[in-house]
Amino acid sequence: MEKLEKRNEIRISYQFDVLNILRKGKTTIMEISRILDISFTAAKNIVDDLIEMKLIKYSDKEKEKARGRKSTYIELNCNQGVVCAIDYVSDDARIVLATVDNKIVAETAIQNVKFITNEILNKTRDAIKELLANLKFKNKKLLAICISSPGKIRTDNFEYVRSRKIINDDVANPVYYFANAFKVKVEMYNDVRLGCLAEMKYGSFPKKPFNGIYIHNGFGSALSIVLNGKIYKGVNGFAGESPYYNGKIATEYYTYFPTLNEIEMEAKEKKIEGIVEGSRKDNWNKIIEEFENDNPKYVEIIKNNAKKNAISLHDLLTILDINYVVISGTILKLGEKYIDIIKEYINEFSNYQIKAEIVSSSLKDNGSILGACHHAASIYFKSTIENIVSERFSLVGFNVNDRDSEL
């Protein structure tokens, strides 16, 4: 039995490797054998297995001549259905349907979602059903769901430890709620971790093993750490969570990465003209406009904010000695000029030249929803392989090794 499970582990590892290659686009068995450094026969056996599982298929259209022979392309099978991504991060919850190659095919939103409540879960369920009822998806089923949410979330049972979106202890666990409603696999992760995943797959991070930090800074802040090309999970699965301060210290604007709230609060304290009570959106638009126009009062406040962020980032760069930083969130509306100020302060603080490349996110506000789409497809791939291996070898409760899971 141990030898059988070991063979299964090796074979499944290669299956995931092939799926990940095809997520970048269609290719040939010959190219797969070259990338994985295995024989053509071994690569074809793995491909045949995945075709039998209906996870991939031979491409009907793409063929090319190579040395007198035709190379048949293979690609992900997007005909089986769609995955769903739910993003509860902003005030308007986003619900997306996508194919397993991460192409968004339908989207809707629920307005003014200040908190996740049972009513909001019901509205989300109904919105998903309405999208699926579209004639475009008449013959396609829902394959898996991934939820993106702010907060500290347990990775074993997907329960909240804390979240600014949860104020009622009686609210149903979103994972159990949607799993029961749609009878599919559902998982939920921190929005910043999913944003980091998307940045690695589709954004500004390099497409090779690297060490990096993904920072989200808006009206809240958090980060995710990447070590040797893998998102670092930590002992309890909470690695990357920014410090959270209770009590008086929080009212003194002390956060690890100072946010837009600090900029607005300092502007109010200094009674700067144009900043008003109770209109965060208007205030933020005013701050952006005046910063772009080099208004010295606004520039001073924003430089103070950038300096505090630079101190926190400098400390992390010194400790971790990493080579890439991607910054995302509403803070980017201040433009590259804000990122340049952070870089200038880091160079000023350091007694040696920190060589990390610091860039802004190329995905803008779409990071967490794209990461959720990507991982929803991973959930579907994993559950399909688990079910087929369990049936084929009568392995009750067989689970794919955690190393095959990106989150």
Side-chain angles (χ1 to χ4, degrees), residues 91-370:
D91 288 345
D92 296 335
R94 295 177 68 185
I95 301 154
V96 159
L97 296 183
T99 51
V100 293
D101 58 354
N102 235 53
K103 290 184 176 64
I104 294 175
V105 292
E107 180 173 359
T108 189
I110 302 173
Q111 306 296 319
N112 300 317
V113 180
K114 299 292 185 184
F115 303 103
I116 300 173
T117 63
N118 289 324
E119 180 186 1
I120 293 301
L121 294 180
N122 290 336
K123 286 184 177 181
T124 306
R125 176 202 61 204
D126 294 343
I128 295 171
K129 287 182 177 180
E130 187 174 337
L131 289 179
L132 290 169
N134 188 307
L135 289 177
K136 191 186 297 183
F137 313 116
K138 189 174 181 180
N139 297 318
K140 293 188 177 182
K141 62 181 180 180
L142 183 62
L143 304 174
I145 298 173
C146 183
I147 305 165
S148 172
S149 172
K152 206 167 189 175
I153 301 165
R154 297 190 188 281
T155 54
D156 53 352
N157 58 14
F158 304 109
E159 290 183 351
Y160 285 105
V161 176
R162 63 165 177 80
S163 174
R164 62 179 173 82
K165 285 283 187 174
I166 299 293
I167 57 169
N168 185 353
D169 292 337
D170 294 332
V171 68
N173 182 308
V175 169
Y176 302 147
Y177 178 91
F178 292 114
N180 182 61
F182 294 100
K183 309 304 179 190
V184 296
K185 288 270 189 176
V186 184
E187 295 182 5
M188 178 171 66
Y189 294 94
N190 175 272
D191 59 306
V192 175
R193 185 173 291 186
L194 286 165
C196 181
L197 175 64
E199 208 69 50
M200 292 167 64
K201 300 298 179 182
Y202 312 105
S204 299
F205 275 133
K207 305 305 178 281
K208 60 182 181 181
F210 67 97
N211 298 320
I213 302 171
Y214 174 82
I215 299 170
H216 177 87
N217 195 320
F219 293 98
S221 66
L223 62 91
S224 190
I225 300 170
V226 180
L227 299 178
N228 195 29
K230 300 280 187 181
I231 296 177
Y232 178 61
K233 303 175 187 177
V235 176
N236 300 304
F238 300 140
E241 281 288 313
S242 294
Y244 180 78
Y245 302 98
N246 291 309
K248 183 180 179 183
I249 197 166
T251 65
E252 295 172 351
Y253 329 138
Y254 189 81
T255 55
Y256 196 72
F257 288 105
T259 64
L260 308 182
N261 292 324
E262 279 78 352
I263 294 175
E264 183 183 17
M265 288 176 184
E266 187 173 344
K268 286 179 179 178
E269 281 186 351
K270 293 183 176 180
K271 295 181 169 47
I272 293 180
E273 185 179 351
I275 302 299
V276 297
E277 289 293 337
S279 182
R280 189 172 75 175
K281 184 177 180 180
D282 290 342
N283 285 343
W284 186 234
N285 289 335
K286 180 68 174 177
I287 289 166
I288 293 171
E289 178 186 353
E290 296 298 336
F291 182 62
E292 289 174 346
N293 294 332
D294 291 321
N295 183 318
K297 292 182 180 179
Y298 285 86
V299 170
E300 180 186 2
I301 290 172
I302 290 168
K303 278 191 171 182
N304 287 340
N305 177 274
K307 185 173 185 178
K308 293 173 184 175
N309 274 300
I311 290 170
S312 295
L313 183 53
H314 172 269
D315 291 349
L316 284 174
L317 293 175
T318 303
I319 294 167
L320 295 176
D321 192 22
I322 57 98
N323 47 349
Y324 288 94
V325 176
V326 172
I327 298 175
S328 71
T330 313
I331 200 81
L332 294 182
K333 290 188 177 180
L334 291 170
E336 289 299 316
K337 183 163 67 171
Y338 181 84
I339 305 297
D340 290 339
I341 294 171
I342 287 179
K343 293 178 184 177
E344 289 170 9
Y345 276 125
I346 288 175
N347 288 332
E348 179 184 325
F349 301 150
S350 183
N351 56 7
Y352 65 95
Q353 186 67 31
I354 289 179
K355 297 181 180 179
E357 185 175 345
I358 304 171
V359 299
S360 57
S361 168
S362 61
L363 302 179
K364 307 306 178 186
D365 296 330
N366 292 313
S368 59
I369 198 74
L370 288 175

